[in-house]
Amino acid sequence: MIHDQYLDGDLSLTITDADLSKRGLYTCDCGGVYLCDVTLQVEALETPVQIKAGETLVLELDVADPVEVTFNGNAAAGPSSSHICTVVGGSLQCKPEYTQRASLAAGFQLRGVQTSDSGVYSIWDTKHNQIIHTYIVTVQDDHQASNLDSDLAPVVPAWKFFLSHFALATGLAAVMTALALLPVQARLRLRDAWQRVRRGFF
């Protein structure tokens, strides 16, 4: 609440830098008299991620546990997403197929990702039954990564290509013109000198 606004009779509450820790129910009362309730909800973040096959995928959990990580290979978050791991009390509990690959460090980590790991990963706050972060993950194999690099290779503009060939053609034309303008006697002397060089007399 801003003091100057309060003096002007404005009793509104301003929440700055709203994040997940500030969500919840806010109650307004005046002199013990209830006025209203307001629920603050924070929308889930959505982050696209591109990663190469074999690398480690890192997902931020954003809130203290308990949280659940789900995965949907159909690129859509929702009830059809399958459970991967749960974080409770700082301990990670995963499905058998993820036990050897998943860990907790700087967030949730999934090692050695493959193209089959592409899809939507959702971080659920199980206490509030709410998705707090969604990651849209694309895993590229070596072939896709090399194609992407080649697509990003520099391309010579057409006008530079034209100018370089034009300059070469112009230079050749100038040399030919200069030779054509030489006097006949000079050209004959050049021819005789060249012949002497070939015969070893020069």
Side-chain angles (χ1 to χ4, degrees):
M1 182 176 296
I2 301 176
H3 182 67
D4 292 340
Q5 293 180 349
Y6 168 76
L7 295 178
D8 292 336
D10 184 355
L11 304 180
S12 60
L13 175 66
T14 301
I15 300 176
T16 59
D17 299 327
D19 56 23
L20 292 169
S21 65
K22 297 177 182 177
R23 61 186 170 170
L25 179 67
Y26 291 79
T27 300
C28 177
D29 62 55
C30 182
V33 178
Y34 167 81
L35 296 179
C36 65
D37 288 332
V38 176
T39 300
L40 174 63
Q41 294 182 340
V42 179
E43 293 183 355
L45 298 174
E46 184 174 295
T47 304
V49 177
Q50 287 191 349
I51 189 172
K52 293 181 180 179
E55 295 182 343
T56 298
L57 174 65
V58 179
L59 308 178
E60 295 182 5
L61 299 181
D62 297 311
V63 298
D65 55 46
V67 296
E68 180 181 354
V69 182
T70 63
F71 170 71
N72 191 334
N74 296 324
S80 60
S81 300
S82 60
H83 165 83
I84 294 180
C85 297
T86 302
V87 181
V88 179
S91 176
L92 185 64
Q93 301 173 1
C94 299
K95 295 176 65 175
E97 57 265 37
Y98 289 95
T99 301
Q100 300 299 321
R101 301 172 56 202
S103 61
L104 280 179
F108 172 80
Q109 297 187 356
L110 187 63
R111 296 182 297 274
V113 295
Q114 301 300 321
T115 54
S116 58
D117 293 314
S118 297
V120 176
Y121 293 79
S122 300
I123 310 299
W124 285 80
D125 179 355
T126 57
K127 181 178 179 180
H128 297 86
N129 193 29
Q130 177 186 3
I131 295 178
I132 58 178
H133 206 145
T134 298
Y135 294 88
I136 304 173
V137 178
T138 302
V139 181
Q140 298 177 330
D141 58 23
D142 294 337
H143 178 70
Q144 290 174 321
S146 61
N147 287 342
L148 179 61
D149 293 339
S150 62
D151 291 341
L152 296 177
V155 178
V156 178
W159 63 271
K160 287 187 178 180
F161 180 81
F162 173 77
L163 284 181
S164 63
H165 282 69
F166 178 77
L168 178 61
T170 303
L172 291 175
V175 172
M176 297 300 295
T177 302
L179 291 176
L181 293 177
L182 284 175
V184 174
Q185 292 181 352
R187 280 184 283 172
L188 290 175
R189 287 196 296 270
L190 286 174
R191 185 187 64 183
D192 293 340
W194 173 245
Q195 290 178 349
R196 287 197 296 273
V197 169
R198 295 184 60 186
R199 295 171 182 171
F201 296 148
F202 186 75

